[in-house]
Amino acid sequence: MKRTDGNLNFWGVIKLLALPMKYQIAKALSAQITAQLCQLGQAFSLAWIVRELLRFYYYSPGSSEKLDLSFGVICFVLFSLVELVSRYLSGTFISTLQSNIKTLILEKSFSKLMTHSNDYFTSKSTGKITSGISGLPKEMSNLIDIMFMDMIPSITIALIAAIGLAFVSPIISVVLLVWFFLFQGVGIYCAVIRVPLHSNSSKMRGEAFGNIMNVVECQQSTRQASKVEYERLRLGKILDVWDRENMLYSFSSETARVYQSLFVTLFKIIMIAMLSGLLMVGWIAASEFFLAYLVINIVIRNVQSSVDRLVDLFRIHSRIQNSIATIFFESEIPNTGTINDFSPNHIHLQMKDVSFTYTGTTERLFEDLNLAFKSGERVAIVGSSGSGKSSLMKILVRTNDVSSGAITMNDTPIKDLTIDNLNTLISVVPQNPSLFNRTIMDNLKIGNADATFEDIIEATKKANCYDFIMSLPKQFDNEIGEKGSSLSGGQAQRLSIARALLKDAPIMIFDEATSSLDSISETNIQSAISRISKDKLVLVISHRLSTIKDFDRILVMEKGKIIEQGNHDDLIGRESVYHSMWNAAV
Amino acid sequence: MSTIDQSISQSERVAVPIWGDNAPNIRRFWELILSANKRIIAQIFVAQTIASIALLGLPITLSVLLKELIKLDTSNAVNYQKIAVLILLFLFFELLYFQCARFCSKAQTLSGTTIRHTAMMCLYEHLLHHSKKFTHKTQSGALTSSLMEAAHAITAGLWIVIMDLWPTLLITVLATLLIFAIDPIIGSVVVVWCVAFSYFTLSAAKRRNNLAKNASKTNTGFVGKLSDIISNSYIVRSFTAVNTERNRLLKSYQESIDEESHYTWQSHKDRFRLDASSHLFRIIAIVGATYWISGSDFNIVELLLIVLLTNLSIRTATQGTLKMDRFLQINAEIYPALDNILKQHDIKFPEASDISVTDKPDLAVQDITFSYLGTDKTINGINLTISYGQKVAVVGSSGSGKSTFSDLLLRQYDVGTGEIVFGSTKITDLPQAVLYRLIGSVSQSTLLFNRSVFENITYGQTSFTMDDVIRVAEQTNCHEFIAELPNGYETLVGESVVAH
């Protein structure tokens, strides 16, 4: 597959984040390394003290030399204090870095997410996408934590310790290094083979999340069908699969951990035996034995905890990769248009030889469809469900792209416009009102952020919802609940219409936008639509034929084809599908 | 593979605990989880104790070993046998520790899954019985993540107690006792320090708890906002509001990060104090011990033991306190999450009783009133009787109370005053299952499960065959479009479907 800017892999994202943060990263790094150096320095000072003590009491008792430990003690104190300070600094640097990175990644991933098509959002559950996006900053911050608090310190400490010990005894240093690399290698190998196991497990976690969220949403149906027990068993089964995947993963981690600690134990035993041997043959002094023991302990502690976290590292890596894979890829609707200031007064919209097939299906919905609309027209589209009315709207607003043919506005293909530009030209009232869990005012301002209060009142009056808003306790400041759940279906639709009116775009599309309204409200809104639409192009999909009777043109669709066209009087005057639909309705 | 299957079947045998009559609260939640898993927890406890003792044996053996080796170095009489025994002893302690640690982590793997499973089921059960009044106020995304987080956190919390807190406590106490035996003065200094240290750290952690709670609350709020935007993503794009929404979201995230950084900053400062005090203490203890011993009869074993043991007890005390801190933090995180879910149910249905309702009850509505917010009456004194077999239509302009009325009949809400009576039984006396057997409902907003069409139609009844389903589909005029779907009745419908 061709790599484009839209497709980013793990390293791409890391680069995206690390470049603006390089100074912060350098600061954090140097503070951490200083702290590690000081830790080893303390061990050296302690060993120096022991050496002096031994020399004084054991090797040359009664010599005239005075016992002077002040050098070792001062070094110990200094190292200890510097370690403390650099730990404090590195903590500060790392947490600043973390919060900066978190904001940055959220911004980037959200912007990317919003470029994806409608199909993307309908094919993935909201819960999955949400947990992907909200998990990404968290995981990034964990990644920083592991890298800076465990991985880098453990590697530096092992290398520095090996160099230091080389002065004492090159053999110990070599054994330490060999062990370190072997241990890391085995650790990495173990972690890598577990990555697929882990991603299975986290996939199941997402599944469980999506399922729970879906059931919680539909919870009223569950209770009304007396199926709480059923849902519980169902979740139980899903959890069982997750448990199983999780255990496969945990067991493999378990085995790996066993081998790793066996490795450490053996190393310690070998080291002690070897040090004892070296001491016995007189190659090292007792103080050096002590020094080596202290240093090796420090190294083991650091390396072991870092290898323990290798698993976390790979786990986080695969989680980040999953999130990245769900978000950072080329949008299905390529936003390659360059025109972004297209705002003609009069629009002539044309569909030329348009064919369209839904992705994942083989059947052609539209074949060589030709249509033309212009500003000032009011067009209604009718037809039985599944006839392609909504799909026609979808290819107009580019939530789906045509398979072949072109849609043009004043002879400019809409593909040449930026998506944002296209969207400013078209205002859609979808069948499903899709409201935000915010105040009514906030929901309306989505339509036009700069609208004045007067504009808003006017739009709500036109959409016939002013009165009900004023009857609410907090009026425009009322919260409306998730997906507008505290409103009735009709109220939600009217708000959604008011929102679209505020946008004031030259093309307005109403996709069964008044289906939940009583006929009086619907008539009021229809007349409002007629009033505002003198110079606009209005496309309406409707089931209630009475409301579109006065439209300039009525298109009757069946199986993706326009089978009849004309105004009401034309169509009703002859033997037509429209005629029979009209008779059935009235 | 077979072990896994076995352990899963074992884990299934842990029954899902039941809340019982007691009000659901966090304490009860802990009790339920603990009692469901008490055996494995006890086993791990014992294993951890043995491991701690082995860990303590290591520095002791080592010091004695070094003493013997020094004898050799200064060519005094050497006891090779003793050296061999000591090295073997060292090996024994290492292996003992290794075995115990291995047992513990294996047990943890096994029962960790079970515990999470039990916790999730426990919460889920409770969540599903909440009324519409409750679900209206809370976002399903936020609820779901609360549930997952709570289950995860309670498992993590439990492990911290057994796997970390207990052994560190034990090691610190034993090591301090040993130091005490060697030199009472240094010993008492260590004791005083350990006690003071844990006391101050924990009280600081407690103070931070509130900050952690706030942080977790704002984060849940942020996730809710994010999921709201994502579920309305089409509107965001179609109204070219991507930038506005991004800024809005970032602002909310910034709030969440700010709350979090109050917490991290505070814990960073506390951590520094903790580090500083343990560093200073180690300096004092080690420097003090050096001078102390160098001034008196020098004994290398004692010096080494003191250095090693002080190091050990400081390290474990620091670790233990940090873990305790983490535990308190987890508890603080669980709190709001559980608080979200573990509300008393608004609408209490009576338990199944001997109340019998005729199969064909009349419906009587007697002077009912209802209001959502306690001010405007949405339903204001409806009286009506509908006898069985009647077909009744309720019409009215939108907002006139039609849907509210049907919600009252379904007991999504309870009436303010008045009665709804089926046959001769009040609606409040009907068990949930009985009420919903009497009423089937189709609502305006078509919320479907993200499952196959077949599953959505049969919903939980396994006895229906494909023929039954097709018959119903034909009756409701949807067979044709289903048949045209790519996988027919097996097509997944997607979330909160808005089909073409």
Side-chain angles (χ1 to χ4, degrees):
Chain A
M1 214 195 289
K2 214 182 85 188
R3 275 279 306 277
T4 56
D5 285 349
N7 284 326
L8 277 182
N9 60 8
F10 179 73
W11 293 110
V13 173
I14 294 287
K15 226 164 99 184
L16 194 72
L17 298 177
L19 279 180
M21 300 282 164
K22 50 180 180 272
Y23 293 113
Q24 288 186 22
I25 292 175
K27 274 200 296 193
L29 262 182
S30 45
Q32 265 297 346
I33 292 176
T34 319
Q36 302 310 319
L37 278 173
C38 291
Q39 215 185 341
L40 288 172
Q42 287 169 48
F44 278 95
S45 329
L46 276 183
W48 188 87
I49 293 175
V50 171
R51 193 185 72 186
E52 288 301 302
L53 281 173
L54 286 174
R55 200 162 54 120
F56 190 75
Y57 283 101
Y58 279 82
Y59 301 120
S60 51
S63 83
S64 56
E65 241 181 298
K66 257 182 69 190
L67 176 65
D68 184 9
L69 297 178
S70 41
F71 174 72
V73 170
I74 289 170
C75 281
F76 180 76
V77 172
L78 271 183
F79 279 128
S80 209
L81 290 180
V82 176
E83 186 198 346
L84 186 63
V85 173
S86 41
R87 275 199 196 285
Y88 179 76
L89 287 180
S90 75
T92 315
F93 295 153
I94 290 173
S95 38
T96 323
L97 180 66
Q98 279 172 325
S99 62
N100 288 342
I101 292 247
K102 275 159 123 178
T103 326
L104 193 63
I105 182 72
L106 183 75
E107 189 187 337
K108 301 266 184 218
S109 54
F110 182 75
S111 310
K112 185 71 209 174
L113 181 75
M114 284 298 144
T115 64
H116 288 306
S117 73
N118 236 25
D119 282 352
Y120 169 87
F121 286 97
T122 40
S123 67
K124 288 194 165 55
S125 74
T126 312
K128 249 184 220 167
I129 302 176
T130 310
S131 74
I133 292 259
S134 65
L136 201 49
K138 249 186 239 165
E139 300 297 354
M140 278 294 173
S141 140
N142 288 339
L143 181 70
I144 293 174
D145 192 61
I146 291 190
M147 286 313 291
F148 284 81
M149 302 302 259
D150 291 291
M151 295 301 153
I152 294 170
S154 92
I155 293 169
T156 40
I157 211 162
L159 295 181
I160 297 168
I163 296 170
L165 283 179
F167 291 105
V168 176
S169 156
I171 304 179
I172 300 178
S173 164
V174 169
V175 173
L176 177 70
L177 272 184
V178 169
W179 172 79
F180 173 74
F181 285 116
L182 264 181
F183 191 60
Q184 287 287 358
V186 172
I188 290 174
Y189 174 73
C190 288
V192 167
I193 55 173
R194 273 173 295 152
V195 171
L197 294 177
H198 180 263
S199 48
N200 287 346
S201 155
S202 64
K203 213 178 277 165
M204 287 316 298
R205 183 187 184 279
E207 198 82 358
F209 190 98
N211 183 70
I212 295 177
M213 187 163 149
N214 189 223
V215 175
V216 171
E217 262 175 359
C218 306
Q219 178 231 30
Q220 301 307 326
S221 324
T222 307
R223 292 174 57 224
Q224 285 172 20
S226 305
K227 286 291 179 294
V228 174
E229 184 60 23
Y230 167 77
E231 285 302 336
R232 224 166 51 96
L233 288 176
R234 194 170 193 281
L235 178 70
K237 272 181 205 148
I238 293 177
L239 286 187
D240 280 345
V241 183
W242 178 23
D243 287 352
R244 193 198 152 81
E245 293 294 343
N246 193 37
M247 264 195 222
L248 269 175
Y249 170 72
S250 303
F251 266 103
S252 64
S253 314
E254 185 44 49
T255 323
R257 215 174 304 143
V258 168
Y259 286 120
Q260 278 161 14
S261 36
L262 193 66
F263 230 93
V264 170
T265 311
L266 283 177
F267 175 64
K268 267 193 192 167
I269 294 169
I270 290 172
M271 268 298 182
I272 291 293
M274 203 172 77
L275 284 172
S276 310
L278 287 174
L279 188 56
M280 277 197 259
V281 294
W283 286 15
I284 58 169
S287 63
E288 287 168 341
F289 180 104
F290 181 63
L291 172 68
Y293 181 75
L294 282 184
V295 169
I296 286 167
N297 252 343
I298 293 176
V299 173
I300 287 182
R301 208 167 56 233
N302 277 285
V303 172
Q304 200 174 14
S305 79
S306 86
V307 168
D308 274 351
R309 296 204 73 182
L310 262 181
V311 185
D312 292 334
L313 181 69
F314 283 101
R315 196 188 291 190
I316 287 170
H317 174 251
S318 76
R319 258 189 229 151
I320 292 179
Q321 254 183 343
N322 279 349
S323 292
I324 287 176
T326 37
I327 301 159
F328 287 94
F329 61 88
E330 195 58 61
S331 171
E332 310 75 0
I333 305 292
N335 190 5
T336 47
T338 46
I339 304 171
N340 62 5
D341 51 358
F342 184 75
S343 55
N345 291 324
H346 191 88
I347 291 180
H348 183 66
L349 180 69
Q350 258 186 310
M351 299 175 113
K352 289 178 199 151
D353 303 331
V354 165
S355 298
F356 174 65
T357 312
Y358 273 107
T359 345
T361 59
T362 47
E363 201 187 333
R364 281 226 159 150
L365 187 56
F366 301 135
E367 194 142 20
D368 297 331
L369 192 66
N370 283 292
L371 271 173
F373 310 101
K374 58 180 189 296
S375 292
E377 243 189 328
R378 283 180 304 150
V379 182
I381 302 167
V382 298
S384 57
S385 9
S387 59
K389 306 186 297 292
S390 292
S391 309
L392 193 66
M393 298 305 162
K394 282 182 183 168
I395 56 174
L396 271 184
V397 296
R398 286 195 75 197
T399 54
N400 292 82
D401 266 346
V402 295
S403 317
S404 66
I407 302 175
T408 59
M409 283 189 194
N410 301 358
D411 294 329
T412 312
I414 58 171
K415 271 190 178 172
D416 291 351
L417 305 179
T418 60
I419 301 242
D420 265 4
N421 194 169
L422 179 66
N423 280 329
T424 53
L425 299 173
I426 306 178
S427 186
V428 182
V429 185
Q431 183 175 16
N432 180 335
S434 203
L435 296 172
F436 291 83
N437 184 5
R438 301 178 186 168
T439 63
I440 289 187
M441 184 57 102
D442 281 345
N443 266 294
L444 291 170
K445 281 204 161 172
I446 295 279
N448 178 359
D450 304 325
T452 63
F453 195 52
E454 282 72 36
D455 295 340
I456 289 176
I457 290 180
E458 198 194 319
T460 50
K461 279 184 175 159
K462 275 184 191 157
N464 224 359
C465 55
Y466 181 71
D467 291 339
F468 100 77
I469 294 173
M470 295 316 276
S471 74
L472 295 172
K474 289 193 201 151
Q475 297 168 346
F476 280 94
D477 292 327
N478 235 68
E479 297 274 346
I480 59 169
E482 192 175 2
K483 293 181 183 164
S485 56
S486 73
L487 303 176
S488 77
Q491 288 169 335
Q493 280 196 333
R494 282 182 281 169
L495 269 190
S496 148
I497 292 170
R499 178 171 68 184
L501 292 180
L502 273 171
K503 186 175 165 186
D504 197 29
I507 301 176
M508 300 203 69
I509 296 178
F510 295 82
D511 186 355
E512 291 182 42
T514 50
S515 60
S516 300
L517 293 180
D518 55 90
S519 42
I520 299 172
S521 314
E522 192 174 22
T523 318
N524 288 341
I525 290 179
Q526 289 295 352
S527 62
I529 292 173
S530 320
R531 255 179 286 132
I532 54 154
S533 62
K534 268 181 234 110
D535 49 353
K536 291 184 194 301
L537 167 59
V538 178
L539 297 172
V540 172
I541 295 178
S542 181
H543 277 302
R544 266 186 238 168
L545 301 184
S546 57
T547 59
I548 49 142
K549 199 164 83 100
D550 305 328
F551 273 43
D552 303 327
R553 187 146 56 114
I554 295 166
L555 308 179
V556 184
M557 289 191 76
E558 199 179 276
K559 289 188 179 160
K561 291 198 170 59
I562 311 285
I563 49 167
E564 286 163 14
Q565 238 188 102
N567 65 26
H568 176 74
D569 297 333
D570 274 357
L571 292 170
I572 206 82
R574 53 185 154 107
E575 203 50 38
S576 62
V577 175
Y578 181 79
H579 192 117
S580 53
M581 283 167 79
W582 178 264
N583 284 343
V586 180
Chain B
M1 291 290 270
S2 60
T3 19
I4 292 155
D5 283 330
Q6 240 170 32
S7 42
I8 286 178
S9 59
Q10 270 166 17
S11 69
E12 272 168 8
R13 246 164 254 144
V14 178
V16 175
I18 303 160
W19 292 101
D21 293 334
N22 294 350
N25 59 31
I26 292 165
R27 198 206 170 97
R28 176 115 182 92
F29 185 53
W30 269 107
E31 280 170 17
L32 286 177
I33 301 297
L34 284 178
S35 61
N37 299 285
K38 49 182 179 264
R39 223 185 108 208
I40 190 80
I41 292 172
Q43 282 175 350
I44 297 178
F45 231 71
V46 174
Q48 284 289 5
T49 312
I50 300 175
S52 313
I53 293 171
L55 204 58
L56 214 55
L58 290 171
I60 300 176
T61 327
L62 192 76
S63 313
V64 182
L65 174 68
L66 197 62
K67 187 185 169 193
E68 287 304 315
L69 289 170
I70 288 171
K71 271 190 204 158
L72 178 126
D73 202 24
T74 50
S75 49
N76 290 340
V78 182
N79 190 343
Y80 285 103
Q81 231 174 355
K82 205 170 171 186
I83 291 179
V85 169
L86 283 170
I87 291 186
L88 280 178
L89 197 62
F90 186 83
L91 196 139
F92 168 73
F93 280 132
E94 276 286 358
L95 288 179
L96 186 64
Y97 174 72
F98 168 73
Q99 272 300 336
C100 290
R102 197 184 136 187
F103 171 81
C104 289
S105 68
K106 190 165 186 176
Q108 182 185 12
T109 309
L110 271 179
S111 46
T113 315
T114 326
I115 290 177
R116 195 199 55 219
H117 191 124
T118 0
M120 281 182 72
M121 295 308 264
C122 234
L123 294 174
Y124 190 61
E125 162 95 39
H126 188 78
L127 188 57
L128 284 187
H129 279 107
H130 276 302
S131 68
K132 199 168 180 177
K133 194 169 159 194
F134 172 86
T135 41
H136 264 184
K137 274 182 296 190
T138 346
Q139 301 198 323
S140 47
L143 278 178
T144 312
S145 66
S146 289
L147 189 149
M148 303 283 269
E149 265 165 38
H152 179 74
I154 203 159
T155 322
L158 190 60
W159 293 130
I160 287 184
V161 175
I162 328 174
M163 303 292 280
D164 297 302
L165 289 184
W166 167 239
T168 48
L169 184 72
L170 196 66
I171 290 178
T172 316
V173 169
L174 289 179
T176 320
L177 280 178
L178 272 173
I179 301 175
F180 204 80
I182 300 166
D183 190 322
I185 298 180
I186 298 180
S188 32
V189 174
V190 175
V191 171
V192 170
W193 178 81
C194 279
V195 172
F197 177 78
S198 8
Y199 174 76
F200 286 117
T201 325
L202 291 186
S203 54
K206 252 188 191 156
R207 263 180 276 129
R208 274 204 318 270
N209 250 355
N210 276 332
L211 295 176
K213 269 184 207 170
N214 288 343
S216 141
K217 217 176 262 171
T218 36
N219 188 266
T220 316
F222 159 74
V223 173
K225 281 179 189 153
L226 177 63
S227 116
D228 188 37
I229 295 178
I230 290 177
S231 63
N232 291 319
S233 60
Y234 173 62
I235 294 298
V236 173
R237 272 168 301 131
S238 138
F239 283 87
T240 50
V242 174
N243 285 333
T244 335
E245 287 305 321
R246 186 177 50 224
N247 293 339
R248 207 185 157 99
L249 189 71
L250 282 176
K251 207 173 123 208
S252 145
Y253 192 56
Q254 199 56 50
E255 275 164 28
S256 146
I257 285 192
D258 285 348
E259 280 299 336
E260 200 185 301
S261 70
H262 284 167
Y263 174 79
T264 16
W265 191 242
Q266 187 61 43
S267 64
H268 181 52
K269 277 196 287 193
D270 286 347
R271 175 81 188 262
F272 174 66
R273 287 201 196 107
L274 191 143
D275 264 2
S277 73
S278 67
H279 268 76
L280 289 179
F281 172 72
R282 208 169 53 183
I283 292 173
I284 293 168
I286 290 182
V287 173
T290 321
Y291 279 107
W292 182 274
I293 287 175
S294 63
S296 63
D297 288 339
F298 175 63
N299 181 337
I300 184 80
V301 179
E302 285 181 6
L303 175 66
L304 278 182
L305 260 183
I306 285 184
V307 171
L308 293 177
L309 289 176
T310 318
N311 251 337
L312 186 68
S313 66
I314 289 178
R315 208 173 62 228
T316 46
T318 320
Q319 268 172 10
T321 317
L322 285 178
K323 288 291 181 183
M324 188 66 200
D325 183 9
R326 174 88 192 105
F327 176 69
L328 290 176
Q329 191 193 341
I330 285 178
N331 239 339
E333 279 168 7
I334 301 181
Y335 189 79
L338 285 181
D339 210 34
N340 261 347
I341 298 171
L342 293 183
K343 296 256 167 51
Q344 284 281 15
H345 293 138
D346 289 319
I347 303 227
K348 283 232 154 165
F349 285 92
E351 289 296 308
S353 59
D354 49 357
I355 281 183
S356 59
V357 188
T358 51
D359 281 345
K360 301 174 176 177
D362 297 338
L363 170 65
V365 174
Q366 296 160 2
D367 202 20
I368 55 167
T369 62
F370 175 77
S371 68
Y372 282 98
L373 300 146
T375 47
D376 264 2
K377 288 225 161 72
T378 315
I379 301 274
N380 198 353
I382 295 185
N383 270 300
L384 81 134
T385 325
I386 301 171
S387 42
Y388 190 84
Q390 269 184 308
K391 264 190 260 174
V392 179
V394 181
V395 294
S397 59
S398 32
S400 60
K402 305 184 298 290
S403 308
T404 312
F405 181 60
S406 95
D407 275 351
L408 290 176
L409 291 185
L410 290 163
R411 253 195 117 190
Q412 302 286 13
Y413 298 97
D414 270 345
V415 292
T417 59
E419 291 292 354
I420 297 173
V421 182
F422 287 91
S424 55
T425 321
K426 287 181 194 163
I427 193 170
T428 44
D429 291 338
L430 288 172
Q432 178 163 327
V434 177
L435 176 66
Y436 292 138
R437 219 171 23 240
L438 287 176
I439 310 180
S441 70
V442 179
S443 71
Q444 180 179 20
S445 54
T446 44
L447 276 174
L448 295 179
F449 290 92
N450 186 7
R451 300 171 189 173
S452 73
V453 173
F454 185 82
E455 273 178 290
N456 264 297
I457 296 177
T458 57
Y459 193 38
Q461 299 288 0
T462 42
S463 52
F464 289 126
T465 63
M466 186 54 99
D467 292 338
D468 296 330
V469 172
I470 291 178
R471 205 181 55 242
V472 174
E474 277 167 353
Q475 280 165 11
T476 51
N477 233 347
C478 56
H479 174 69
E480 254 178 68
F481 96 81
I482 297 171
E484 279 173 17
L485 290 172
N487 293 320
Y489 281 86
E490 293 307 317
T491 314
L492 283 179
V493 298
E495 195 183 60
S496 343
V497 139
V498 196
H500 346 292

